Amino acid sequence: MGGALIPPDEAGPDDVVLSWEGADVVAVRLPQLADSLDHILAAMERKKGKPLADLDRKAKQEVVRILEARGAFAVRHGVETVAGALGVSRFTVYNYLNRDKDA
Protein backbone atom coordinates (compact mmCIF):
# COMPACT_ATOMS: atom_id res chain seq x y z
CA MET A 1 0.00 0.00 0.00
CA GLY A 2 2.99 2.32 0.17
CA GLY A 3 2.79 3.11 3.87
CA ALA A 4 5.67 4.36 5.99
CA LEU A 5 6.78 3.12 9.40
CA ILE A 6 7.18 5.81 12.07
CA PRO A 7 7.84 5.80 15.82
CA PRO A 8 4.58 5.32 17.74
CA ASP A 9 5.06 8.57 19.68
CA GLU A 10 4.99 10.46 16.35
CA ALA A 11 1.73 8.87 15.24
CA GLY A 12 -1.09 11.17 14.23
CA PRO A 13 -4.81 10.52 14.53
CA ASP A 14 -4.93 8.89 11.08
CA ASP A 15 -1.96 6.59 11.63
CA VAL A 16 -2.30 2.92 12.62
CA VAL A 17 -0.34 2.09 15.78
CA LEU A 18 0.77 -1.53 16.12
CA SER A 19 1.24 -3.07 19.54
CA TRP A 20 3.10 -6.16 20.73
CA GLU A 21 2.29 -7.66 24.12
CA GLY A 22 0.59 -4.47 25.23
CA ALA A 23 3.31 -2.02 24.16
CA ASP A 24 3.11 0.26 21.12
CA VAL A 25 6.06 -0.64 18.90
CA VAL A 26 5.53 1.09 15.56
CA ALA A 27 3.01 3.18 13.66
CA VAL A 28 2.10 2.90 10.01
CA ARG A 29 1.36 6.06 8.07
CA LEU A 30 -0.70 5.35 4.99
CA PRO A 31 -0.34 7.48 1.87
CA GLN A 32 -2.96 10.11 1.19
CA LEU A 33 -4.38 8.04 -1.63
CA ALA A 34 -3.73 4.35 -1.21
CA ASP A 35 -3.87 1.93 -4.09
CA SER A 36 -7.08 0.46 -2.79
CA LEU A 37 -9.90 2.09 -0.90
CA ASP A 38 -10.82 -1.35 0.42
CA HIS A 39 -7.47 -1.55 2.23
CA ILE A 40 -8.07 1.84 3.85
CA LEU A 41 -11.55 0.84 4.96
CA ALA A 42 -10.26 -2.45 6.39
CA ALA A 43 -7.56 -0.59 8.32
CA MET A 44 -10.15 1.81 9.70
CA GLU A 45 -12.30 -1.10 10.83
CA ARG A 46 -9.33 -2.63 12.61
CA LYS A 47 -8.57 0.72 14.25
CA LYS A 48 -12.18 1.16 15.38
CA GLY A 49 -12.41 -2.47 16.52
CA LYS A 50 -15.70 -3.17 14.80
CA PRO A 51 -17.39 -2.94 11.40
CA LEU A 52 -17.77 0.64 10.19
CA ALA A 53 -21.49 0.03 9.69
CA ASP A 54 -21.81 -0.52 13.45
CA LEU A 55 -20.42 2.93 14.33
CA ASP A 56 -22.69 5.71 15.53
CA ARG A 57 -23.43 8.71 13.30
CA LYS A 58 -20.73 10.92 14.80
CA ALA A 59 -18.07 8.24 14.30
CA LYS A 60 -19.23 7.67 10.71
CA GLN A 61 -18.91 11.41 10.06
CA GLU A 62 -15.36 11.27 11.43
CA VAL A 63 -14.55 8.36 9.11
CA VAL A 64 -15.85 10.34 6.13
CA ARG A 65 -13.69 13.35 7.12
CA ILE A 66 -10.59 11.16 7.37
CA LEU A 67 -11.33 9.50 4.04
CA GLU A 68 -11.90 12.84 2.37
CA ALA A 69 -8.54 14.09 3.67
CA ARG A 70 -6.90 10.99 2.18
CA GLY A 71 -8.50 11.60 -1.20
CA ALA A 72 -10.80 8.59 -1.08
CA PHE A 73 -13.58 10.39 -2.90
CA ALA A 74 -11.34 11.16 -5.87
CA VAL A 75 -11.35 7.43 -6.59
CA ARG A 76 -13.95 6.24 -9.07
CA HIS A 77 -16.98 4.92 -7.15
CA GLY A 78 -15.40 6.10 -3.90
CA VAL A 79 -18.65 7.46 -2.49
CA GLU A 80 -20.50 4.24 -3.29
CA THR A 81 -17.75 2.11 -1.75
CA VAL A 82 -17.66 4.18 1.44
CA ALA A 83 -21.45 4.27 1.69
CA GLY A 84 -21.55 0.48 1.47
CA ALA A 85 -18.89 0.08 4.16
CA LEU A 86 -20.69 2.51 6.47
CA GLY A 87 -24.10 0.98 5.83
CA VAL A 88 -25.55 4.30 4.67
CA SER A 89 -26.75 5.74 1.38
CA ARG A 90 -24.64 7.76 -1.05
CA PHE A 91 -26.88 10.69 -0.18
CA THR A 92 -25.87 10.38 3.49
CA VAL A 93 -22.16 10.37 2.58
CA TYR A 94 -22.69 13.51 0.49
CA ASN A 95 -24.52 15.09 3.43
CA TYR A 96 -21.58 14.29 5.71
CA LEU A 97 -19.20 15.86 3.18
CA ASN A 98 -21.37 18.95 2.74
CA ARG A 99 -21.86 19.33 6.49
CA ASP A 100 -18.10 19.74 6.94
CA LYS A 101 -17.96 22.38 4.20
CA ASP A 102 -20.82 24.35 5.76
CA ALA A 103 -19.26 24.28 9.25
Side-chain angles (χ1 to χ4, degrees):
M1 287 180 25
L5 300 178
I6 58 172
D9 57 335
E10 294 179 18
D14 298 335
D15 298 329
V16 178
V17 178
L18 303 176
S19 300
W20 180 259
E21 297 184 353
D24 294 340
V25 291
V26 69
V28 178
R29 179 162 293 155
L30 300 174
Q32 290 298 311
L33 183 57
D35 294 336
S36 171
L37 183 53
D38 292 333
H39 288 293
I40 295 173
L41 291 168
M44 294 186 84
E45 279 193 348
R46 285 191 301 274
K47 183 176 180 179
K48 298 292 184 182
K50 59 182 166 181
L52 298 178
D54 292 346
L55 300 174
D56 62 23
R57 184 181 55 167
K58 185 176 178 180
K60 288 179 182 182
Q61 290 170 336
E62 176 188 347
V63 166
V64 168
R65 280 193 299 277
I66 292 168
L67 292 172
E68 182 180 29
R70 290 187 178 174
F73 300 111
V75 175
R76 186 172 185 203
H77 302 297
V79 171
E80 292 86 349
T81 301
V82 171
L86 293 176
V88 299
S89 68
R90 290 180 320 148
F91 181 75
T92 299
V93 173
Y94 284 118
N95 279 342
Y96 291 168
L97 290 168
N98 289 333
R99 166 173 259 170
D100 286 341
K101 287 175 179 47
D102 293 339

